[in-house]
Amino acid sequence: MWLFVSSYLIEHPKGKFLVDTGWERAMSPNGVFDKKAQIKSLGSFILYLVNQGVIEFDECIDEQLAKIGVKASDIDA
Amino acid sequence: MSNIKIHIFHTGKVCVSLNLPFGGDNCNPIKASGIFEKKVVCGFLFHHI
């Protein structure tokens, strides 16, 4: 079964903390399940066997952070 | 009191065995732990003081 992958941005007075980045665009370059792209992104077929994912357009963490005006350089940890 | 904001993002989907979230047809806590599964998910605990 497919479950959502979640990432969390915590805005604290001491800084911004990102927990888990989720899947990168290279896992699903066209926003759909792509076995070849995943094996290439993960670096091995063995890793693909234990990590099958999909990420639609506008769901990558950098895409979502940009929507709320946060850049990677704004993340403290 | 500190002002803390938590944003939750859905960053894709992962394929997991039914044994992990629901135990499947044969609910087994050892199987559900994921120790024998090839697919895993992560859990996070935020402990703020």
Side-chain angles (χ1 to χ4, degrees):
Chain A
M1 68 179 297
W2 291 90
L3 297 178
F4 284 107
V5 176
S6 299
S7 302
Y8 307 89
L9 172 65
I10 302 167
E11 292 189 56
H12 187 277
K14 292 188 177 179
K16 289 185 176 66
F17 306 96
L18 184 64
V19 179
D20 207 328
T21 60
W23 297 123
E24 60 170 345
R25 176 54 52 217
M27 288 284 282
S28 300
N30 298 312
V32 295
F33 184 80
D34 186 332
K35 180 178 175 180
K36 277 188 181 177
Q38 288 188 41
I39 292 171
K40 184 178 178 184
S41 175
L42 292 168
S44 82
F45 179 71
I46 293 172
L47 285 175
Y48 165 77
L49 291 176
V50 297
N51 286 291
Q52 293 174 23
V54 64
I55 183 157
E56 297 178 14
F57 290 124
D58 295 329
E59 282 190 346
C60 287
I61 192 62
D62 56 342
E63 295 162 356
Q64 296 200 53
L65 289 174
K67 280 186 197 173
I68 62 171
V70 175
K71 301 183 296 283
S73 58
D74 296 333
I75 306 297
D76 296 294
Chain B
M1 178 172 258
S2 301
N3 185 20
I4 299 169
K5 196 185 288 187
I6 301 177
H7 304 263
I8 302 171
F9 302 103
H10 287 147
T11 47
K13 293 178 191 167
V14 63
C15 185
V16 299
S17 164
L18 279 172
N19 278 318
L20 280 177
F22 304 116
D25 288 340
N26 302 303
C27 186
N28 182 320
I30 294 174
K31 272 188 187 178
S33 73
I35 192 168
F36 297 116
E37 299 294 332
K38 293 184 288 187
K39 300 178 175 72
V40 297
V41 292
C42 298
F44 302 94
L45 171 64
F46 297 97
H47 186 167
H48 182 265
I49 299 172

